Amino acid sequence: MPHPRRPALVHPETAELTLSAVLHALSDPTRLTIVRTLRESAEQACGTFPVSVAPSTLTHHFRVLREAGVIRQREDGNRRWTMLRYDDLESRFPGVVDVILRADRQGGLPTRQEAVRQVSRSS
């Protein structure tokens, strides 16, 4: 049952998911940590993620992920539970979540400046 002072949670349908919104949602380190945590567990209470940001900032990150269709949230009493919409994302954009998580775990691609520095050092 929704909390009396909270607005109802809105989740886009699978067919409404866009690649640009998903990529934007996955472009932030805090949001990637949330997604990685959910990839390893089925569902988690909102205040239990291994991130060190203010509660209001965490709420913002959840909203970005939810509106992009990356997560689904439900309320249970005064707790909000979060799950990764992995199957929905896989059906729309096969492999995207795992590729991004793998690239992030490996340090991602170097920026142009980093690549130039690496090339300069090896010359």
Side-chain angles (χ1 to χ4, degrees):
M1 175 178 222
H3 192 277
R5 289 182 283 179
R6 291 185 186 166
L9 298 172
V10 178
H11 302 91
E13 296 295 323
T14 304
E16 297 172 334
L17 303 182
T18 65
L19 185 57
S20 61
V22 170
L23 292 176
H24 169 72
L26 298 176
S27 68
D28 180 88
T30 299
R31 293 192 291 264
L32 275 175
T33 298
I34 292 167
V35 170
R36 178 173 291 104
T37 302
L38 291 171
R39 185 73 179 98
E40 296 167 1
S41 66
E43 188 176 45
Q44 195 153 328
C46 287
T48 62
F49 287 85
V51 296
S52 52
V53 296
S56 60
T57 302
L58 188 58
T59 297
H60 165 75
H61 288 304
F62 285 132
R63 183 181 55 80
V64 170
L65 289 166
R66 186 179 63 248
E67 289 177 355
V70 175
I71 63 171
R72 181 172 303 281
Q73 293 183 304
R74 68 177 179 85
E75 292 185 352
D76 183 21
N78 64 352
R79 293 206 94 163
R80 190 171 279 182
W81 292 85
T82 305
M83 63 177 278
L84 180 64
R85 291 179 62 181
Y86 186 78
D87 292 340
D88 293 340
L89 292 163
E90 276 296 297
S91 71
R92 286 285 288 154
F93 315 111
V96 166
V97 172
D98 290 330
V99 166
I100 291 172
L101 290 176
R102 188 170 38 255
D104 181 61
R105 187 176 316 123
Q106 295 170 352
L109 298 173
T111 65
R112 185 176 187 284
Q113 277 185 321
E114 291 168 339
V116 168
R117 270 192 243 125
Q118 289 172 2
V119 169
S120 297
R121 281 189 219 141
S122 64
S123 300

